[in-house]
Amino acid sequence: MSSKDWDESFIERFKQSGRTEMVVAIWLLNRGNEVRVPQKTLRSDWSERLKHADEGDVIVNGKRCEVKGLRRKFEFGKWPFPYALVCSKWSYDRAQNKPDVFFLVSSDHTCTAVIDVKATRDQWKVVQQGDFERGETYDAYSIDPSLLQWYELK
């Protein structure tokens, strides 16, 4: 995949992620949490990417949360893969302020699997993850699906 194609792919995923982030933010607000959605900026090209790293997708009661909208629909309590990806090892390791929580959201926004970093970090494993859209593999942190916490997004 060329850098131009990668940029176009990233921009499309960036645009689509906002809807999932708002679904989670509103759900959290309705549960009585203090929620802030930080402003995000889109880089002009690949070389500018590190200048646009955000402080998290959603800040909930002062905790940094990352929201990952999956392309696959899954049912409450039924993780469809042998392991759950937390995030790329490079992204997590370089982050100055580590995320506290990861929300893995079904494509239909009906439910979310949640990774509590503090409760699970010592059980993370590194896996080689294929990214078939970009034609590459990368190191990623993963956890056993039994460690996921489940919530319906109602």
Side-chain angles (χ1 to χ4, degrees):
M1 178 177 275
S2 73
S3 61
K4 181 179 184 290
D5 292 338
W6 193 95
D7 275 353
E8 289 172 7
S9 169
F10 176 82
I11 289 167
E12 187 58 34
R13 285 181 288 116
F14 181 88
K15 289 177 183 176
Q16 291 177 4
S17 68
R19 180 170 178 246
T20 304
E21 291 163 9
M22 292 310 296
V23 166
V24 171
I26 291 167
W27 175 76
L28 289 162
L29 275 170
N30 288 337
R31 293 174 56 106
N33 294 284
E34 182 181 314
V35 177
R36 184 171 62 84
V37 179
Q39 180 180 359
K40 293 178 179 59
T41 57
L42 186 58
R43 60 178 167 68
S44 57
D45 64 45
W46 172 257
S47 65
E48 298 289 314
R49 69 193 182 283
L50 296 180
K51 295 178 185 174
H52 293 264
D54 60 36
E55 59 183 287
D57 295 326
V58 180
I59 309 301
V60 182
N61 301 326
K63 293 186 176 188
R64 179 180 175 183
C65 301
E66 293 293 329
V67 177
K68 306 296 179 193
L70 277 66
R71 293 182 185 166
R72 184 164 179 175
K73 178 182 172 183
F74 54 86
E75 295 178 33
F76 179 89
K78 297 180 180 179
W79 190 249
F81 306 105
Y83 53 84
L85 284 181
V86 179
C87 70
S88 84
K89 184 178 183 307
W90 181 83
S91 287
Y92 184 85
D93 290 349
R94 77 168 175 77
Q96 296 257 340
N97 297 318
K98 307 286 190 218
D100 297 292
V101 177
F102 288 87
F103 289 88
L104 310 177
V105 181
S106 176
S107 64
D108 64 359
H109 296 156
T110 59
C111 64
T112 184
V114 176
I115 300 169
D116 179 330
V117 174
K118 187 176 181 180
T120 63
R121 180 63 186 97
D122 63 342
Q123 297 174 71
W124 292 6
K125 296 178 180 167
V126 177
V127 296
Q128 277 282 301
Q129 182 62 32
D131 183 330
F132 302 105
E133 185 176 300
R134 295 183 202 129
E136 62 187 27
T137 60
Y138 60 95
D139 286 341
Y141 287 117
S142 69
I143 65 167
D144 187 275
S146 66
L147 299 172
L148 296 170
Q149 299 170 17
W150 289 89
Y151 298 93
E152 291 183 7
L153 295 173
K154 294 182 177 178

